[in-house]
Amino acid sequence: MTAVWDFLVTPFLDYAFMQRALVACLALSLGCGPVGVLLVLRRMSLVGDAMSHAVLPGAAVGFLVSGLSLWSMGLGGLIAGLAVALLAGAVTRVTALREDASFAAFYLIALAAGVLIVSTRGSNVDLMHVLFGTILAVDDAALLLMAGIATVTLIALALLYRPLVVECFDPGYLRMVGGVGAMVHFAFLMLVVLNLVGGFQALGTLMVVGLMMLPAAAAKFWSRSLWSLFAWAAGLALLSGYSGLLVSYHGSLPSGPSIVLTAGGFYLLSLIFGTHDSLRARYLPTAHFAH
Amino acid sequence: MRIPFRAGLLGLSLAVLSLPAGAAEKLQVVASITVLADIAKQVGGDNVEVRSLVGPNGDAHVYEPTPQDAQAVTKAGLVVVNGLELEGWMDRLVAASGSKATIVVATQGVPTRKMDEDGQEITDPHAWNSAANGAIYAANIAKALAAADPAHAAAYQANGAKYEAELKALDAWARSEVATIPQAKRKVITSHDAFGYLGAAYDIEFHAPVGFSTESEASAGDIAKLIDQIKQEHIKAVFIENATDPRLVQQVAKASGAEMGGELYAEALSTADGPASTYAKMFQYNISSLVAGMKQN
C-alpha cells in the first residue's frame, strides 16, 4: 500500500512545483475541457491549433515592448488572437468563404507577421522558449492568470449555455432570429482565445491545444448531452494531467509531451471502449450500449 | 634643390605606396558568434571590420541565417568559426554563399573535453569560457588575420600578442579569485550547461536543470532530483543563462531555498551597454558573479 502511495501521491506532497503543475492542470481542464467540447461539436477542432500560431505576433510585440512580462505578452497575444478570430468570424458571416478557410488565411498572415516582427529585432533567442512556458515552471502570476481565465470561462459558458446549445446544433436558427447568434459566436471565439493565450504562456502550445482537444474528442465516446460532455472532457483532461505528470516524474521524460500523450492514450481507449459510437459499441453486437 | 626634390620624390612614392592600402577597404571579417567577433576586433583593431552573424544575447544553437548574413560571408576576406560542431549551419552558409574567404577555426589546438549528452559522448564546443583557451583563440585569429591581410601582418601579430597576454593575466586572476572559495563550496547551478571548460579550468562544479542543448525540455523527474541535490549539498548559487528561459531556474531556486545569483553570459556577449560587452568583460563578469554566488554556499 505504501508503495502505491509513494508512487501516486508522494511526488505531489514532496515538491511544490508538482503541486503547482497539478493545480495548473486543474485550471486548464476546467476552462479548456468545455471549450474543446464546443469546438468539436461545431466542427472547429483545428481552430485551436490555428489560434496557437495566431497569437504569436501579439505576444512577440508584447515581449519586445516590455520583455518577459506575463501581462504585456498575454495582452498582446489576446489582441492578436481576437483580431484573427473576429476577422475570420466576420468574413465567414458576410461572405461565402467557410470558417476553416478564413481561419487558415488569417492565422497564416498573423504567423508570418509574428516571425517578421521577431526577426527584425535581430535577436536569435528561441522565441518559442521565451514566449511559451513549461508546466514545470508555473509561477504565482501564471497560476492566478489561469485560475482567473477558468473562472471567467465557466461563468461565461453558464450565461451563454442556451444559445450555445442552439448554435451548436443549428447555426442557421439564431442567425434567422436576429444578431444574437453572431454575438454568441464571437463571445465563444473570445473564450477560445482567452484560454489559449493564458495557457500558452503558462504551459506551452502543445500542452494547451492537446488538453483542449484530446479529452473533448474522447468525451464524445462516453456521452451525448452537452452537460456531461463538459464533465467528461474536464475530468479526462485533469486525469491526463495528473497521470502525465507522474509519467514525467517517474520516467524522467519531458512533461508537456508526457501529458499530451497520456491524453492521447485516453482518447484511444475511449475510441475502443467508449459507450457511444466507439469501436466496441459499433462492432460488438453483444454490447448493450449500442443503440 | 636636390635634397628637397628627393624628399619630394620620396614623399610622392610613399603616397603612391600607401594609396592602395588607404584606398582599399578594410579587411572584412565575419564571425559566427559575438565572442569570436570581439576577439577578432581586439586583434584586428582599426584594420578590420568585423560582423557577427549571431547577435548579442543570441543563441547559436537555433540561429537561422538571413540573406544579409550570406552577403556578408560572400564579401568576407576571413571567416572565423568556433568549430567543435557549435555552428552546424556555418559550412552550408559558406558553401551556399560561394565565398572564397579563408575559414579559421578558432579552437585549433585547444585541449577539448568530452561531455555526456543523453548517453552520447560529444565534444563540448563552449571552449571560450576558459580564458586560457581564449588566449589560444586570439593566437589563431591573429595568425589568420596576418595571412589574410599581409600588409598589416606586423600590427596583427603585435596586437595579438598583447591581447593574448591580457587574457593570460585574466586567467591567473580568475584562478586567484576562485582560490578564495573553499573546495567544498565550489558548486553552482545554471540553466545552461555551457560552462564545462570554465568548471574544469578553475575547479568549479556546475549542475544544470536542462540538458546540454537549449532545445531539450525538462522532465518533472529531473527537476525533482535537482531540487533534492541542491538541498542535500546546500548550494545557494543559482544563475540564469542569458539565452534560455529563466522561469524554470527561478522555480527551482524558490523550491529549494537557493538564491538567484543573477545572469551569466555563456554563449553570447551582452549589448554594448550591458555588463559583458566584450569577451574580456564577459569573462570577468562571469567569474566575479560566480565567486560572489559561491560565497553564499
Side-chain angles (χ1 to χ4, degrees), chain A:
Chain A
M1 196 58 211
T2 52
V4 177
W5 178 266
D6 278 352
F7 191 85
L8 296 178
V9 181
T10 308
F12 295 96
L13 296 180
D14 282 356
Y15 298 102
F17 80 91
M18 292 289 281
Q19 290 161 20
R20 286 163 178 278
L22 194 63
V23 173
C25 281
L26 176 65
L28 195 66
S29 309
L30 288 178
C32 287
V35 169
V37 167
L38 287 169
L39 283 173
V40 169
L41 288 178
R42 317 183 96 176
R43 304 200 179 93
M44 292 166 66
S45 300
L46 291 174
V47 164
D49 202 29
M51 285 314 239
S52 72
H53 297 94
V55 302
L56 184 70
V61 168
F63 173 69
L64 293 177
V65 168
S66 52
L68 198 68
S69 147
L70 190 71
W71 301 108
S72 73
M73 280 162 52
L75 196 66
L78 191 64
I79 291 168
L82 276 182
V84 168
L86 287 178
L87 284 170
V91 168
T92 311
R93 300 253 152 184
V94 299
T95 69
L97 202 62
R98 279 178 180 269
E99 183 139 42
D100 61 332
S102 32
F103 256 108
F106 282 107
Y107 105 74
L108 283 168
I109 294 171
L111 176 62
V115 173
L116 200 74
I117 292 166
V118 169
S119 51
T120 46
R121 283 309 180 95
S123 169
N124 294 304
V125 172
D126 187 354
L127 261 170
M128 288 303 165
H129 269 278
V130 178
L131 294 183
F132 304 129
T134 142
I135 190 155
L136 301 179
V138 182
D139 52 15
D140 290 346
L143 268 187
L144 280 174
L145 180 74
M146 291 175 56
I149 287 173
T151 311
V152 168
T153 306
L154 290 179
I155 292 174
L157 284 178
L159 291 175
L160 296 175
Y161 191 72
R162 276 296 139 207
L164 273 176
V165 174
V166 178
E167 260 262 309
C168 267
F169 297 106
D170 184 8
Y173 174 72
L174 279 179
R175 209 186 306 185
M176 273 194 308
V177 300
V180 187
M183 269 173 58
V184 169
H185 185 67
F186 286 148
F188 171 65
L189 284 179
M190 212 160 134
L191 286 183
V192 175
V193 176
L194 199 62
N195 274 285
L196 287 174
V197 168
F200 289 158
Q201 291 200 50
L203 311 171
T205 329
L206 184 67
M207 274 284 307
V208 188
V209 182
L211 274 194
M212 187 179 270
M213 301 320 301
L214 282 168
K220 281 279 280 174
F221 293 112
W222 296 103
S223 176
R224 277 284 152 84
S225 75
L226 192 56
W227 207 132
S228 61
L229 280 176
F230 284 0
W232 269 104
L236 281 174
L238 182 60
L239 193 62
S240 308
Y242 169 75
S243 329
L245 280 172
L246 278 182
V247 169
S248 170
Y249 178 85
H250 291 294
S252 284
L253 294 165
S255 49
S258 301
I259 292 173
V260 175
L261 277 178
T262 312
F266 283 128
Y267 167 75
L268 291 178
L269 287 177
S270 306
L271 174 72
I272 297 169
F273 298 109
T275 50
H276 288 78
D277 283 335
S278 68
L279 295 177
R280 190 193 61 161
R282 280 209 166 172
Y283 298 107
L284 285 186
T286 51
H288 294 288
F289 309 101
H291 291 281

Side-chain angles (χ1 to χ4, degrees), chain A residues 129, chain B residues 190-193 208-218 223 226 244 248:
Chain A
H129 269 278
Chain B
T190 70
S191 58
H192 197 298
D193 202 356
V210 189
F212 171 66
S213 172
T214 37
E215 281 161 40
S216 54
E217 200 184 322
I223 302 238
L226 184 79
T244 26
L248 203 54

Side-chain angles (χ1 to χ4, degrees), chain B residues 3-281:
Chain B
I3 292 162
F5 173 72
R6 282 186 118 195
L9 199 65
L10 188 68
L12 193 69
S13 61
L14 271 178
V16 170
L17 266 178
S18 61
L19 236 180
E25 286 184 1
K26 291 176 178 179
L27 178 65
Q28 299 290 316
V29 179
V30 170
S32 56
I33 56 173
T34 46
V35 169
L36 299 174
D38 181 60
I39 297 177
K41 245 178 250 171
Q42 303 293 336
V43 175
D46 293 335
N47 297 320
V48 297
E49 210 173 290
V50 187
R51 179 195 168 103
S52 173
L53 295 181
V54 179
N57 293 327
D59 187 339
H61 295 282
V62 292
Y63 163 80
E64 275 183 49
T66 65
Q68 278 89 355
D69 292 343
Q71 203 178 12
V73 172
T74 313
K75 286 186 191 160
L78 183 70
V79 174
V80 186
V81 298
N82 180 73
L84 306 181
E85 289 174 31
L86 177 77
E87 320 95 331
W89 38 270
M90 197 67 177
D91 291 339
R92 273 172 290 149
L93 183 61
V94 171
S97 70
S99 170
K100 291 183 179 63
T102 327
I103 300 176
V104 55
V105 179
T107 49
Q108 240 164 27
V110 166
T112 59
R113 43 191 311 281
K114 296 276 174 196
M115 61 182 326
D116 189 51
E117 169 68 359
D118 296 333
Q120 270 185 321
E121 275 246 306
I122 60 162
T123 306
D124 182 355
H126 310 94
W128 61 83
N129 280 322
S130 138
N133 289 344
I136 302 177
Y137 278 41
N140 284 336
I141 290 171
K143 211 161 50 177
L145 283 173
D149 180 17
H152 298 103
Y156 295 138
Q157 298 292 12
N159 275 349
K162 203 174 120 213
Y163 189 50
E164 235 182 287
E166 193 186 317
L167 293 179
K168 279 178 181 158
L170 266 183
D171 182 56
W173 167 80
R175 271 169 219 289
S176 68
E177 280 292 294
V178 176
T180 61
I181 310 283
Q183 182 91 36
K185 288 191 171 187
R186 293 186 201 160
K187 286 172 190 162
V188 172
I189 312 273
T190 70
S191 58
H192 197 298
D193 202 356
F195 293 106
Y197 288 91
L198 196 151
Y202 309 110
D203 208 0
I204 300 171
E205 225 180 281
F206 284 93
H207 303 280
V210 189
F212 171 66
S213 172
T214 37
E215 281 161 40
S216 54
E217 200 184 322
S219 79
D222 291 345
I223 302 238
K225 276 179 216 147
L226 184 79
I227 290 173
D228 290 345
Q229 188 179 26
I230 298 171
K231 282 183 179 164
Q232 274 161 19
E233 302 189 1
H234 306 290
I235 304 176
K236 288 260 191 263
V238 177
F239 291 89
I240 300 169
E241 193 257 338
N242 63 343
T244 26
D245 186 356
R247 279 173 290 201
L248 203 54
V249 186
Q250 274 161 359
Q251 285 298 311
V252 171
K254 210 169 158 191
S256 58
E259 272 170 53
M260 306 299 294
E263 212 175 25
L264 292 177
Y265 291 84
E267 299 203 300
L269 304 182
S270 65
T271 47
D273 51 352
S277 52
T278 68
Y279 169 61
K281 277 188 194 162

